[in-house]
Amino acid sequence: MDSPISFSAPVDRRAWPMDGKLDYWTAPDGWALRRYRLGDGARGRMLILNGRGDMIEKYLEVIDHWAGKGWAVTTFDWRGQGGSGRMTDDPLVGHVRDFSDYIIDLKSFSAEWQGGGDGPCVILAHSMGGHMLLRALAEGMPPPDAAVTVAPMLGLHSAPLPRWLAVAIARIMVGLGRGARRAWTQKEESERHRRIRQRRLTHDPERYADELWWRDHSRDVALGPPSWNWVAQALESTDRLARSPGVERIACPLLILATRADQLVSTPAIRRIAARLPHARLHVYGREAAHEILRELDPVRLDALARIDDFLDEVAP
């Protein structure tokens, strides 16, 4: 990895920028998705798709970076998480009826967003957002001018369970009527569990603490474990994408960033699908990077930002 590149002064990661716009966008079925926009768009337009359990607040630093580069940045919270409501009576369970609901939301949102201005349109997607982007493109969503996926969820890291057993357990739990219940326990007040979760996400304790700060100060955006139905849907949808002939038809330039040390998504699955994408470039970090590459310690984070900026300058000038 090259030496870190200097960027603008640090932003307050625990405050909304004064010139952004926070509102709601209505999905085709009437569901309200919380949306945020920042930037003048002199460079073009960028849509950021976050991951499972995320909320817009986690990516204010990332949004500020690209808004400062001249992009009109738009992002939203997926239905059932962040500020986009919940689908069960348990406000901390990440539940969804069917992953197709995410796809319908993304296709509709993207169609409106792509028609909303001038300049190049690019989509940057993290983890679950990366899966949704590639699946939507494989299923015929009009492509942006360029796309970037960061640690995309193209396979789940199910260890120590083999994948077949994880699939069987999830299906059994859904079949027993427990689909809307938490798939595992997350002890929010346990310092030990917080440290374990941090190491899975990022080596940066301060950026991890930012997430906890937002959760503690805005409890309506806090989320815990996924539901059993979410797990079953994730396993089914990643298998569906892995078998889809539409992967080879994704035509837009694509940069994929991943890490060998990822404990949440499968890096081998990322490599396999990247090899099938006709216009994809793949960079895989080592042990210096955990799952949230754009929220890592600065040597990794700044390197990733520079790689993305260079890629976009080349393919979406």
Side-chain angles (χ1 to χ4, degrees):
M1 190 172 65
D2 297 331
S3 300
I5 297 175
S6 297
F7 287 87
S8 57
V11 300
D12 185 349
R13 299 192 299 264
R14 300 184 182 184
W16 291 95
M18 294 297 293
D19 50 351
K21 183 177 182 180
L22 185 65
D23 60 8
Y24 287 86
W25 176 84
T26 304
D29 65 353
W31 196 276
L33 302 183
R34 189 176 63 151
R35 173 177 60 181
Y36 182 66
R37 288 170 284 182
L38 181 70
D40 60 21
R43 172 69 178 83
R45 289 173 292 138
M46 175 182 290
L47 176 61
I48 296 179
L49 308 177
N50 60 28
R52 191 215 76 81
D54 285 344
M55 66 283 208
I56 296 169
E57 289 87 335
K58 281 181 65 172
Y59 294 93
L60 291 178
E61 182 179 34
V62 169
I63 293 168
D64 179 82
H65 168 76
W66 277 300
K69 292 281 187 178
W71 294 97
V73 183
T74 300
T75 188
F76 65 87
D77 286 331
W78 297 102
R79 64 172 61 209
Q81 65 182 49
S84 295
R86 299 292 180 270
M87 297 185 174
T88 73
D89 293 334
D90 183 347
L92 291 180
V93 66
H95 182 65
V96 70
R97 181 191 65 86
D98 193 292
F99 268 29
S100 63
D101 293 336
Y102 291 144
I103 297 296
I104 293 170
D105 288 346
L106 176 56
K107 287 183 176 181
S108 300
F109 193 102
S110 178
E112 182 178 310
W113 166 77
Q114 288 200 45
D118 299 322
C121 295
V122 304
I123 300 180
L124 185 145
H126 167 68
S127 195
M128 184 186 83
H131 171 78
M132 294 304 156
L133 173 60
L134 292 182
R135 178 174 157 184
L137 291 173
E139 294 178 3
M141 183 180 83
D145 294 301
V148 179
T149 62
V150 182
M153 189 187 78
L154 304 184
L156 299 184
H157 195 285
S158 62
L161 299 179
R163 189 182 185 283
W164 68 266
L165 183 55
V167 171
I169 292 173
R171 287 176 176 172
I172 289 171
M173 297 303 283
V174 172
L176 291 173
R178 299 178 183 177
R181 297 186 185 181
R182 302 185 192 191
W184 56 76
T185 301
Q186 184 170 304
K187 299 179 181 178
E188 290 194 66
E189 304 308 318
S190 167
E191 185 60 30
R192 175 177 174 272
H193 280 78
R194 285 190 174 193
R195 287 197 302 269
I196 292 173
R197 183 172 181 270
Q198 180 214 311
R199 287 195 293 268
R200 290 173 177 169
L201 296 178
T202 173
H203 294 89
D204 191 329
E206 293 183 3
R207 287 189 171 87
Y208 181 73
D210 293 335
E211 176 186 355
L212 301 184
W213 186 91
W214 281 108
R215 288 167 57 92
D216 291 341
H217 286 76
S218 305
R219 292 302 294 173
D220 58 323
V221 304
L223 198 68
S227 68
W228 279 111
N229 197 67
W230 186 95
V231 174
Q233 284 288 308
L235 291 165
E236 177 183 327
S237 187
T238 51
D239 181 64
R240 173 178 177 168
L241 182 61
R243 293 183 287 104
S244 172
V247 169
E248 284 82 4
R249 294 194 293 269
I250 296 176
C252 67
L254 178 65
L255 173 65
I256 305 173
L257 301 181
T259 170
R260 292 196 301 271
D262 207 313
Q263 297 184 52
L264 297 182
V265 304
S266 169
T267 305
I270 293 173
R271 290 184 184 277
R272 287 194 295 270
I273 288 189
R276 297 169 53 198
L277 290 161
H279 304 290
R281 307 175 192 180
L282 173 65
H283 177 76
V284 181
Y285 291 95
R287 298 179 63 85
E288 71 274 13
H291 180 63
E292 293 184 344
I293 295 170
L294 296 182
R295 299 183 70 248
E296 259 295 356
L297 292 167
D298 277 352
V300 169
R301 186 182 71 90
L302 296 180
D303 180 84
L305 292 176
R307 290 178 185 276
I308 295 170
D309 285 337
D310 289 347
F311 171 74
L312 295 179
D313 285 345
E314 177 188 345
V315 302

